[in-house]
Amino acid sequence: MATDFTRLPLRGFQDALHVVVESPRGSTVKLKYEPKLQAFTLSRPLTRGFRYPFDWGFIPSTLGPDGDPLDALVYWDVPTWPGVVLPCRPLGVLMVDQKKRDNQKGERERNDRILLVPVNAARADGLRSYQDLSQREREELEHFFLAVVHFADKDARILGWEGPESAEHLVQQYALKED
């Protein structure tokens, strides 16, 4: 029987958040896990010349305001593969809003990106918050997220950054209730 990655446990060993990788670092396409198929599918190619700067995926057992699990960007220096589950700790949240799907009235919804680092990423041991990244690197991440949706008619806007406590709060707010 296949696994529904969206229903994996929220947390693992030592209370680390699980992140399911969809599009690995360096990927030129956005892959998306489809629970009905229990498979990873092609969502869209990225804008020409763009690659994911880090592993991209979601936090299982959550459901955000856009109807999908919470988005996650795993900050580290190696790529993995679609379907890999990484135990991580949060560094912060890049707050984003965009037009709602199939929206005629111009209404907007939040679609934040949680920035995390694997708990066993030894070269990132000193990172405790998004503020430990340079201003330039944070701005590059903001630019990346705006540029990759530019042609997807999402009209995304960056609202700013918040720290690891806000990331934890967001996860708790959108965690699925256990049956």
Side-chain angles (χ1 to χ4, degrees):
M1 184 167 161
T3 299
D4 180 352
F5 285 91
T6 64
R7 297 297 183 163
L8 292 177
L10 175 65
R11 295 185 183 272
F13 182 69
Q14 296 183 338
D15 213 29
L17 289 168
H18 283 148
V19 174
V20 175
V21 175
E22 290 176 301
S23 298
R25 176 186 179 137
S27 178
T28 60
V29 296
K30 183 178 191 306
L31 300 176
K32 182 172 179 59
Y33 178 72
E34 293 291 341
K36 289 179 183 170
L37 294 174
Q38 294 187 330
F40 292 85
T41 62
L42 176 66
S43 176
R44 68 178 184 276
L46 296 186
T47 302
R48 190 179 305 273
F50 279 82
R51 297 178 183 280
Y52 277 94
F54 304 105
D55 284 351
W56 171 258
F58 63 88
I59 298 174
S61 293
T62 62
L63 192 63
D66 65 349
D68 291 331
L70 293 175
D71 292 327
L73 184 70
V74 181
Y75 184 91
W76 68 328
D77 57 350
V78 295
T80 61
W81 293 268
V84 169
V85 178
L86 297 170
C88 294
R89 58 184 170 80
L91 296 176
V93 179
L94 177 59
M95 297 174 296
V96 178
D97 80 353
Q98 64 190 33
K99 281 194 309 190
K100 285 186 174 182
R101 293 180 189 160
D102 304 321
N103 171 20
Q104 315 306 327
K105 298 178 184 176
E107 296 169 326
R108 303 187 71 80
E109 67 188 356
R110 290 288 291 272
N111 192 10
D112 299 339
R113 280 84 163 129
I114 298 177
L115 181 67
L116 304 103
V117 64
V119 295
N120 60 356
R123 289 184 288 271
D125 278 349
L127 297 177
R128 296 288 166 241
S129 167
Y130 76 93
Q131 294 173 320
D132 293 330
L133 279 61
S134 70
Q135 179 69 30
R136 168 71 185 247
E137 192 155 27
R138 293 191 306 261
E139 288 175 6
E140 286 181 7
L141 289 174
E142 292 170 16
H143 177 75
F144 172 79
F145 284 118
L146 293 176
V148 298
V149 299
H150 177 76
F151 294 106
D153 192 34
K154 292 189 177 189
D155 186 31
R157 295 186 302 206
I158 302 297
L159 304 176
W161 289 88
E162 289 188 354
E165 300 82 15
S166 293
E168 278 288 350
H169 176 73
L170 193 67
V171 168
Q172 292 307 315
Q173 180 180 357
Y174 293 109
L176 297 175
K177 306 301 179 228
E178 294 183 22
D179 297 331

